[in-house]
Amino acid sequence: MILLQTAFSLPTNTTTTTTLLSPCSPHRLNTLFFTHRRRQLVSPSRLSSSFSKRRFSLCVAASGSNVFTSPETSKSFDFASEEKIYKWWESQGYFKPSFEQGGGRPFVIPMPPPNVTGSLHMGHAMFVTLEDIMVRYNRMRGRPTLWLPGTDHAGIATQLVVEKMLASEGIKRVDLGRDEFTKRVWEWKEKYGGTITNQIKRLGASCDWSRERFTLDEQLSRAVIEAFVKLHEKGLIYQGSYMVNWSPNLQTAVSDLEVEYSEEPGFLYHIKYRVAGSPDFLTIATTRPETLFGDVAIAVHPEDDRYSKYVGETAIVPMTYGRHVPIISDKYVDKDFGTGVLKISPGHDHNDYLLARKLGLPILNVMNKDGTLNDVAGLFCGLDRFAVREKLWADLEETGLAVKKEPHTSRVPRSQRGGEVIEPLVSKQWFVHMDPLAEKALLAVEKKELTIIPERFEKIYNHWLTNIKDWCISRQLWWGHRIPVWYVVGKDCEEDYIVAKNAEEALEKAHEKYGKDVEIYQDPDVLDTWFSSSLWPFSTLGWPDVSAEDFKNFYPTSMLETGHDILFFWVARMVMMGIEFTGTVPFTHVYLHGLIRDSEDLNLSTERLTANKAFTNKLWNAGKFVLQSLPSLSDTSAWENLLAIKLDKEETLLSLPLPECWAVSKLHILIDFVTASYEKFFFGDVGRETYDFFWSDFADWYIEASKSRLYGSGGSSDSLVSQAVLLYVFENILKLLHPFMPFVTEDLWQALPYRKEALIVSPWPQNSLPRNVESIKRFENLQALTRAIRNVRAEYTVEPVKRISASVVGSAEVLGYISKEKEVLALLSRLDLNTVNFTNTPPGDANLSVHVVASEGLEAYLPLAAMVDISSEVQRISKRLSKMQTEYDALITRLNSPKFVEKAPEEVVRGVKEKAEEAEEKIKLTKARLDFLKSTSLVSQ
């Protein structure tokens, strides 16, 4: 499968998710989706002194290795331990695919090879995290899982880096010569090329590093040569002089996909061309006057009456000593652009080039490879193209041929690597004929052999392949795969060349064709880096050397991951090459994800990073509570009884008390949802639902409820059940979170007693486990009652430590299960256990109580006098009401002022009105509350 980046947001339940730094590491990204509402951190209560004595030594899988820390001994997760954990995983062989369990078809992802020159950026962190999520999930599902890592030789980028390094030493590449320069690049690669690899490891990428590849490795290089030779044999590779994108600074051709267009301010130059043999002039408008030396025609639209009389005549190109060019007509000309007269410079414009080929016009090149003008430009020969633009315009003004220069915004092509303005230039290059390859790649999507997620991106894929151009694969560089073509000294390079796998084979072919007395030399160019990258998913698995049986074990790969910006650079080309050389698509899925920009665009904000660290602390503290709640390891009888409670069995579930049954049922529902979401690549849903379950259901509710068992009067059996549920739910939470948060979850897992295997290879939770929907509804009623009581406490500013009285009113059925959890309700709502009553009718002092409705058939009456000092509360609220009234009166005064209403901006007036309405509503509610307090005071007196 391929994971791609899209530069725009995708809707809910697509594969794009909010991207943040993972709670498990300040360096790693994850796709946990965090809602914007505020969450209150509820730390587990301090354990009683008697209970804290029940601490125990922990069973750690890597005992004695000092790899793991424990919540029992460490206040928080130690991020510095990540490297130790990672090395332990790798040393145990957990990153290698295992076929022992027979987990079905292998799950394989070839890593998009980052440039060997690269250092980690947020885009790398994005794809590494998402791929690692997929890999860890499938590994836990029992599938033989392989993540193939590697780096790309990055022809242009690496050569640039080394050239700059040499320049700092006063050395030029050409002074060294090709062999010595290439040697220097290899030395640089050995010294600095591992930076990105080490950074990816620090992110936690669970790749099989024993299979790490580099695109210039011997085996991959053989694959590149094999591919070139085979394509040439089929007539799909050819050499010719065609228009390419030329990078003057890099001194090489670059592909269309390596050119970025930007809207930039410039000028539109209006220049007069004399009609030969006539006093008339035609005025053309151009953004690049320096190319006029390469003009071969002047064109007008055939339906433009302004110029029809000139068609068939000739015009004199300015500053060329009287060179004549034909005046022609063609519908290609836009009558409304500029003056409607177009200069045709086919040697320096893609569209002009196509028009010239259609009409049989000559192609005149005026540019050297370094961006200076050649001798065709006469006196301007040797000057830089942009310097010529300025000097030429001055000369045109002096000769009276300059009409005007006006500001104009143009789409300027720039090199993605070097940043300089690209020059369209006709150059002899090597090309791949793409149409036959594209047809098969289009058919793969049509036949559903390749799935693109989200589906709508199929249209983009299909559009590009339908309109594909031949691929220029030669680059005028020294670093890269040398083109396997040799020429015979003294022969025509375009006609007499030899394609071979090596120099020995080339010489042998030359002897056969031309006799023994010949000399050969290799084409100096190298292949486009993307040519080797397009072979990556199958060359890394051994093609063309590996046996068919071994190749079948892993191919086609399940998935490929990369950014949408290289959808066509890499993905589509891999599809074409994979089908061409192996007969099948190289992967089954293409996955698209969002680009990381900043907090004002998509998905990255420091506030969310802070929230994730809080989530890690919450998880760590929950682990501490669970561990300290468990029996001592020396209590073998307790552990035998605890482990005998099989919470994945329906009969056990149905026998549990309400809070325990609710927690386990919710967990089982979560497991099904999360597993289905992982399978659909809905990682945002996975993160959001797991986050909510852990933080809200488990930490905020069940952990707090369990304290009534652990510290209450229910006895050892209640305590044992609660311990079993705490352990069962927590260990499954760790499993669900592990693909997102591998380090902290493994650390916590290793602290759990009686866990035999590492979390990274532990089995994924089973699906379709039992759940009790009725218990979920009943506990939700208990939650609603608790929230209602908590709201009243907050409204009346009841001190947190104060225990209050309550009369719970409801039907017999509801009171039946609520009353059984009296201790839980009292603990969660901070009620006085001795003054909590359950009744089916309102209490006698109902008019002196705050009445709350939790749900249908469940209410509560909270005696006001037991919560607050009524007289003091009346004074406090009266003061607050007075302040509120003053603020409200000020707002009304402003609104009643014609000067304010007429002169203030509309949005300001609207904002004051909204504040006034809000203040009026608050005053109304506060008065009602004050009246209630006063009436209660009178009744009590």
Side-chain angles (χ1 to χ4, degrees), residues 836-874:
V836 177
N837 301 306
F838 298 90
T839 176
N840 56 7
T841 59
D845 60 350
N847 59 341
L848 299 177
S849 302
V850 179
H851 177 215
V852 295
V853 178
S855 59
E856 186 176 354
L858 182 60
E859 305 171 16
Y861 290 84
L862 309 176
L864 189 58
M867 291 192 290
V868 295
D869 182 317
I870 296 178
S871 60
S872 298
E873 187 70 2
V874 167

Side-chain angles (χ1 to χ4, degrees), residues 10-31:
L10 301 179
T12 303
N13 281 346
T14 66
T15 52
T16 290
T17 54
T18 302
T19 307
L20 329 159
L21 284 183
S22 165
C24 68
S25 167
H27 313 295
R28 175 188 166 110
L29 287 175
N30 69 38
T31 50

Side-chain angles (χ1 to χ4, degrees), residues 4 97 107 118 137 161 276 448 589 911 939:
L4 301 176
F107 182 84
Y137 165 72
V161 167
K448 303 300 181 184
H589 291 80
V939 171

